[in-house]
Amino acid sequence: MALTLWAIYCTYDGLGPFLVYAQRPLIAGSVAGLIVGHPLLGLLVGATLELAALGVYTYGGATIPDYQTGAIVGTALAAGAAGDAAAQAAIGIGVGLPAAILLSALDPVGKMVTTGLVHRADGYAADGNARGLAMIHWVSLVPWVAVRAIPTFLAALAASGGLVKDITASIPAGFVHGMTLAGSLLPAVGFALLLGMMELSRYWYLLLIGFVGFAYLHLPVLGIALIGVAVAMLFVTLKRDEPVLVVPEAADAAADESLADPRLTKQDLRRVFRRYFWSSQISWNYERMQALGFAYSMEPVLRRLYPEKADYVAGLQRHLQFFNTSVLVGGPLILGSSVALEEAGTPKSAASTKVALMGPMAGIGDTVVFALYNSIVFTMGASWALQGNWLGPAFAAVMVLVPYALVRRWQFSFAYREGKRLAGHLAAGALARVAQGATVLGFVVLGGFIPSIVKVVTTLTYRQTTTVQGQPVTQSVAIQDRLDDLLPFLLPVLVTAGVYLLTVKARLRPVWVIGIVVVAGVVLGWLGWFAPSAPAKS
């Protein structure tokens, strides 16, 4: 039951408050390990799936592998498996990864049910029924959590018996070695997908800074990140691009309306922000995406500003129209501006400003937060977690909790205070610079993360005959030693480059690429030709 409740919270946290972003496999798997009494197992499974999931995001509601449930299910089933911690982790990855892929088929089911519910919300809006609207908004969370909680419950039920242990006891050792190697190769998929989203042709040389820092200067992950911050700040200071966000003139002109006599109280504003903060996406649906959550957030303001029922109903219906943007960088800004323009008596401007801003802010916000910031933070956390260090998930959780809350609060307050035109232009220039700096930082840290996290060496040797004092002497030479003489960490770089070519050049779907990497890892690890690390020398 505890695992099921945890799965429910993970789903909610990724749709609403983003307190610790529990939907990420690193957090989901780590806490699942605590629940089942195998904390190290949860760290290893969650961290491995986290690195495999880099660069995979639900832009526009696209269905992706359910890594959250995969991490929880994999940890739960592996906890009942036979063998030591390493063998259990290999089984957890072997179960969690295909589970994440297969369970993605349930994701559209939850979204389709929610799509049907939004039409009921239309009826409540037409009647001016705020309670009915709120009920539909919160009930829409049920299908989202059901498609994740039910598989988790079944997995926990299966793990409670002895069947899992009996099955895993018969698994060949070679397969376990192969899955261990596959787990160490999977981060290459995440890194490749991430590079495919970034401007590699423009900033490829920045990868060398991070690589040299790790491979030759032996800097830790945090040290590489700090160098990346310094390089990013220098880059942004010396080269500033023009703002990329432009608000239409019609919306600009309307934004000049005076708010000298505000009709809203601080309590009204707090109520609006709390609603958005705690439940912005729980009613996300295919048809209108975030619209119901936005209308639910605006409802207290509309009730205060429009005492006439017809005007109040019109306001609810106006904000129930299609809306979708970045929920962390963009959504609070648009919400604050909509409140300001509704208060200024320019509802048409509020609607047009939403339309003008949601697309550009989605592009900027998703790039800065999900593709870059999250990737850096959770990669650092996962790298520590793979070492059995609880600093990893703790660091990631703190780096989500504090910045996410502060940034959203600031955006909402700033947009409400300054009016839409100023908010739009200033946010555009600032976010354009932040996006550029985050991109530079991302490339530097990726250059160090790839060789430090994608772990693979070859165990193959060859015979070399040399002459010593006139006598031929045959020596066994490790191929890995020769590769290290040529370029340290050459194999991790080649693996990542190969996966990048499969994803970007061959345009294979991520699921197929993951399958190829897992099969290759199992085969090569089973044969004993490659391993995550070199065997200890006697």
Side-chain angles (χ1 to χ4, degrees):
M1 182 57 70
L3 279 177
T4 305
L5 293 175
W6 173 237
I8 292 173
Y9 175 76
C10 289
T11 305
Y12 165 68
D13 193 38
L15 294 171
F18 289 95
L19 293 180
V20 294
Y21 209 167
Q23 204 174 44
R24 298 288 297 219
L26 173 62
I27 307 297
S30 297
V31 176
L34 288 175
I35 292 174
V36 299
H38 290 73
L40 180 59
L41 173 63
L43 282 176
L44 297 178
V45 173
T48 301
L49 293 184
E50 179 66 52
L51 293 169
L54 290 177
V56 181
Y57 305 99
T58 53
Y59 295 124
T63 295
I64 63 171
D66 187 357
Y67 290 108
Q68 165 205 310
T69 309
I72 298 174
V73 168
T75 301
L77 292 177
D84 57 15
Q88 287 181 321
I91 293 170
I93 296 166
V95 171
L97 190 59
I101 296 172
L102 292 174
L103 290 173
S104 65
L106 297 177
D107 181 64
V109 176
K111 292 176 179 176
M112 285 188 289
V113 174
T114 308
T115 301
L117 290 173
V118 75
H119 292 288
R120 184 58 181 158
D122 289 334
Y124 285 124
D127 294 336
N129 187 338
R131 289 187 177 181
L133 188 89
M135 179 193 67
I136 294 298
H137 176 62
W138 283 98
V139 167
S140 296
L141 178 63
V142 174
W144 274 93
V145 301
V147 297
R148 292 160 178 82
I150 293 174
T152 301
F153 175 77
L154 295 176
L157 195 63
S160 62
L163 180 62
V164 174
K165 187 173 183 178
D166 294 339
I167 293 175
T168 56
S170 62
I171 296 177
F175 179 78
V176 175
H177 294 321
M179 280 305 307
T180 302
L181 176 61
S184 70
L185 295 178
L186 279 174
V189 178
F191 290 137
L193 291 172
L194 194 58
L195 288 172
M197 297 166 56
M198 301 166 70
E199 299 177 87
L200 183 61
S201 60
R202 182 180 180 185
Y203 294 110
W204 63 270
Y205 57 90
L206 294 172
L207 292 170
L208 298 177
I209 298 176
F211 181 83
V212 170
F214 178 80
Y216 291 97
L217 302 181
H218 309 293
L219 294 177
V221 170
L222 184 57
I224 295 171
L226 292 175
I227 290 178
V229 171
V231 173
M233 293 179 66
L234 180 63
F235 198 95
V236 172
T237 301
L238 297 178
K239 182 179 180 181
R240 295 193 175 190
D241 289 341
E242 293 297 321
V244 298
L245 180 57
V246 179
V247 180
E249 294 181 4
D252 262 2
D256 288 328
E257 295 291 337
S258 174
L259 295 178
D261 184 23
R263 292 177 285 165
L264 299 175
T265 65
K266 290 184 178 180
Q267 185 177 2
D268 293 328
L269 299 176
R270 284 195 292 267
R271 187 178 294 116
V272 169
F273 182 75
R274 282 199 302 267
R275 287 189 174 198
Y276 188 84
F277 182 90
W278 292 105
S279 66
S280 55
Q281 292 191 110
I282 63 172
S283 57
W284 193 101
N285 58 87
Y286 280 126
E287 184 175 318
R288 275 173 266 173
M289 299 192 176
Q290 300 170 4
L292 179 52
F294 196 92
Y296 171 73
S297 301
M298 289 289 296
E299 190 276 329
V301 165
L302 300 175
R303 187 181 342 120
R304 172 80 68 176
L305 296 176
Y306 303 115
E308 295 294 330
K309 182 177 180 179
D311 295 332
Y312 172 65
V313 168
L316 290 176
Q317 292 175 331
R318 182 166 57 250
H319 290 291
L320 270 173
Q321 299 305 308
F322 177 88
F323 178 74
N324 196 53
T325 193
S326 171
V327 70
L328 296 171
V329 177
L333 187 79
I334 297 173
L335 182 68
S337 69
S338 296
V339 171
L341 291 173
E342 291 282 0
E343 187 179 20
T346 57
K348 291 184 178 180
S349 295
S352 63
T353 299
K354 283 175 60 180
V355 173
L357 293 178
M358 66 178 179
M361 293 304 294
I364 294 173
D366 287 345
T367 300
V368 171
V369 177
F370 292 107
L372 297 173
Y373 180 81
N374 279 352
S375 296
I376 293 170
V377 167
F378 280 93
T379 299
M380 293 177 66
S383 68
W384 287 321
L386 287 175
Q387 301 168 18
N389 191 340
W390 273 93
L391 176 62
F395 167 81
V398 171
M399 294 303 289
V400 165
L401 176 63
V402 178
Y404 279 16
L406 294 179
V407 166
R408 280 180 286 177
R409 165 57 75 177
W410 174 84
Q411 287 179 79
F412 177 76
S413 301
F414 178 76
Y416 174 73
R417 286 196 319 267
E418 303 299 330
K420 187 67 239 111
R421 185 177 66 176
L422 184 59
H425 283 302
L426 291 182
L431 284 174
R433 291 192 293 275
V434 169
Q436 188 179 54
T439 299
V440 172
L441 171 61
F443 274 104
V444 173
V445 297
L446 279 177
F449 285 165
I450 290 171
S452 65
I453 294 175
V454 181
K455 297 184 181 298
V456 56
V457 298
T458 179
T459 58
L460 297 175
T461 61
Y462 70 94
R463 295 185 179 278
Q464 174 179 285
T465 302
T466 59
T467 301
V468 179
Q469 296 180 348
Q471 298 294 324
V473 176
T474 301
Q475 297 176 319
S476 180
V477 180
I479 294 178
Q480 186 62 46
D481 291 341
R482 293 294 176 260
L483 293 178
D484 289 340
D485 293 338
L486 178 63
L487 182 70
F489 303 100
L490 177 60
L491 288 181
V493 173
L494 291 178
V495 168
T496 305
V499 175
Y500 174 81
L501 293 176
L502 290 176
T503 57
V504 176
K505 301 302 181 181
R507 297 184 179 181
L508 293 182
R509 295 178 60 186
V511 170
W512 285 104
V513 176
I514 289 174
I516 292 172
V517 171
V518 170
V519 170
V522 169
V523 172
L524 296 175
W526 198 328
L527 293 174
W529 295 350
F530 292 85
S533 60
K537 295 182 179 180
S538 57

